Amino acid sequence: MTVSFGFELDGEPVEVVADPKDSVLDVMRERLGVYVAKGGCSPQGLCGCCTVLVDGKARLTCTLPVKSLAGKSVTTLRGVSPVDRAIVAESFTDHGAAQCGYCTPGIVLSTCAMLAEKPSPTDDDLHRALAPHTCRCTGYTAILAAMRTAAERRAGAERLAGPVVPEGVALATGERPFVEDIVRPGTWHGVAVFAPVPRGELTRLDTTAVPAGSLVLPLRSPGDTVAHVGDAVLLLAAPTLSEARAAAALVVVEVSPTPAPTPTALARARRRDGDVDEALGRCPHRAEVAITLAPTDAVPLEPEVALAVPSDGGIVVYSPGHDGETVRRAVSSALADAAVPVHVVLVPSGGSYGAKSVPRVEPWAARLALAAGAPVRLALDHLDATRARPRRPGAVVRGTAGTDAAGRWLALRLDVRIDGGAEAHE
């Protein structure tokens, strides 16, 4: 059921037709083309990237139903006083408080709102304004310094330290696009459907209830093995994100569970050159180290997203990854057609921490785009991305190194053990 809602957006009246339960974030980004608010943890309301002001108060939009905006005023960074926006953005740039920049627009908006209410904020005021926001890069020290500087500059106590850096201001205000902000005419939206259990045999994959206007691309067939919870069994695309999500919810996936195999080591390799024990015994200086690395789920704020655009018989893939050649090879392999040229455009990434080292959404988006004959943007929400991405397995490193009296290396013994357990499903 869709209903018409009217509200004010950055000083202008707007009217949207949407399901009352649709989030304000989805409506702003997909219906109104407002990309300054970002969808980090969406829809969990944990990171603050999607912050806007509703009747002057900071609100998280990924958990806010659009029906609650009826008759109200919504302000994004674009609707803030240009002077205040410039002062805060330039202060963040001067202090290096943006870094990847994905969370920064939300923090800048909260800072502008706080300074409008409290021109001379205390440290407690700064911390309260930051409380809803998660930043993966800066450790908050630079952010707090930028907020203090913005307050001083706004009060006229300090002037700009140097020339304005346009790139930094665009980053801080959310105007520099990430992949999910890039728009191409006629773009479809892709989603992935995952296995419901960690391991087993796929017994049923039923898409008969999916509307005819959707594109369905199975990745598995009944009888295939599902290896882990991040194993996608089907890709689906539709003209709008809400349609794609609704269609994906109608797919029936049944898996007969099977026991997980006994864990084994990822790899074993040994190398020995010379008599290490004898060499270490002759060393007047020795150092020993023992390091334990816990299993890590590398979690960026930016969603794992890719945009694939058919072009001149080939495919152009916009990726937030770090290695264009790795992405190109992964897409080419997934297409299984060497005659299809693949061009990769690396777009600045909203953090990574190892999460985007394995191309996953790029091949999926490319396959859907070629099948649809139209651009396809495929993004995994926070939960699905956590299921799908490889973990960084735990490890234990022990080593002994020895040198002679002059500090020249004579011997090294190194023992590295990497967990081959469940988190190493790649």
Side-chain angles (χ1 to χ4, degrees):
M1 179 187 70
T2 58
V3 179
S4 179
F5 297 94
F7 56 93
E8 187 179 272
L9 177 63
D10 292 335
E12 299 292 334
V14 296
E15 194 85 17
V16 296
V17 177
D19 187 309
K21 299 187 295 296
D22 284 350
S23 73
V24 173
L25 178 64
D26 284 347
V27 170
M28 286 198 309
R29 292 183 61 86
E30 306 303 332
R31 307 286 181 87
L32 300 175
V34 178
Y35 297 104
V36 66
K38 312 298 182 184
C41 67
S42 182
Q44 300 182 62
L46 297 175
C47 73
C49 294
C50 65
T51 298
V52 302
L53 305 181
V54 178
D55 287 345
K57 301 296 183 182
R59 297 292 303 271
L60 303 180
T61 56
C62 70
T63 57
L64 187 66
V66 69
K67 65 180 181 180
S68 65
L69 290 188
K72 296 183 179 179
S73 172
V74 177
T75 305
T76 72
L77 258 180
R78 294 178 178 177
V80 171
S81 157
V83 173
D84 282 355
R85 184 172 63 243
I87 287 174
V88 177
E90 290 160 16
S91 298
F92 271 68
T93 301
D94 289 347
H95 284 277
Q99 294 199 17
C100 87
Y102 195 82
C103 68
T104 313
I107 297 175
V108 168
L109 180 60
S110 289
T111 302
C112 290
M114 175 199 65
L115 292 178
E117 184 178 347
K118 299 180 179 180
S120 301
T122 64
D123 283 352
D124 284 345
D125 294 330
L126 299 180
H127 286 286
R128 276 196 291 271
L130 266 181
H133 298 278
T134 298
C135 176
R136 291 296 315 275
C137 298
T138 64
Y140 300 100
T141 300
I143 293 175
L144 288 166
M147 295 169 76
R148 293 187 185 99
T149 296
E152 293 168 359
R153 288 175 175 171
R154 192 171 183 270
E158 182 184 323
R159 296 290 90 193
L160 293 180
V164 174
V165 182
E167 296 86 355
V169 171
L171 183 68
T173 56
E175 298 298 338
R176 190 196 72 175
F178 295 93
V179 176
E180 64 169 349
D181 304 325
I182 298 174
V183 179
R184 293 291 180 267
T187 296
W188 282 39
H189 295 265
V191 295
V193 177
F194 293 91
V197 298
R199 182 177 176 82
E201 178 183 323
L202 182 63
T203 57
R204 185 184 178 199
L205 185 58
D206 188 347
T207 61
T208 55
V210 174
S214 301
L215 172 66
V216 175
L217 189 60
L219 299 178
R220 297 285 189 276
S221 300
D224 289 348
T225 297
V226 173
H228 53 81
V229 293
D231 220 350
V233 297
L234 179 140
L235 304 176
L236 190 147
T240 69
L241 181 59
S242 58
E243 288 175 327
R245 289 173 174 170
L250 299 174
V251 177
V252 178
V253 182
E254 294 180 0
V255 176
S256 177
T258 58
T262 302
T264 58
L266 287 176
R268 289 188 177 90
R270 293 184 179 181
R271 176 176 174 177
R272 185 182 182 93
D273 295 325
D275 191 333
V276 178
D277 292 330
E278 187 275 334
L280 284 172
R282 291 187 288 107
C283 294
H285 304 297
R286 287 191 295 180
E288 297 184 359
V289 64
I291 303 173
T292 300
L293 304 174
T296 301
D297 189 1
V299 181
L301 283 183
E302 180 194 19
E304 296 194 26
V305 57
L307 171 67
V309 183
S311 176
D312 297 327
I315 192 85
V316 178
V317 178
Y318 296 84
S319 165
H322 307 307
D323 182 352
E325 179 58 21
T326 297
V327 174
R328 189 196 65 78
R329 288 198 300 266
V331 172
S332 295
S333 176
L335 297 180
D337 187 350
V340 177
V342 176
H343 180 67
V344 176
V345 179
L346 293 182
V347 180
S349 173
S352 175
Y353 316 98
K356 298 171 186 174
S357 59
V358 178
R360 185 175 306 278
V361 291
E362 292 92 340
W364 292 345
R367 292 185 62 176
L368 284 170
L370 286 182
V376 172
R377 185 170 66 202
L378 190 149
L380 301 182
D381 65 22
H382 191 69
L383 176 60
D384 283 343
T386 302
R387 289 157 55 106
R389 76 171 65 95
R391 275 65 179 163
R392 216 178 305 170
V396 176
V397 180
R398 293 187 176 89
T400 302
T403 72
D404 62 14
R408 291 186 292 265
W409 288 84
L410 296 180
L412 173 66
R413 177 189 288 121
L414 194 64
D415 180 46
V416 181
R417 299 176 183 270
I418 300 176
D419 182 12
E423 76 273 5
H425 63 63
E426 282 292 320

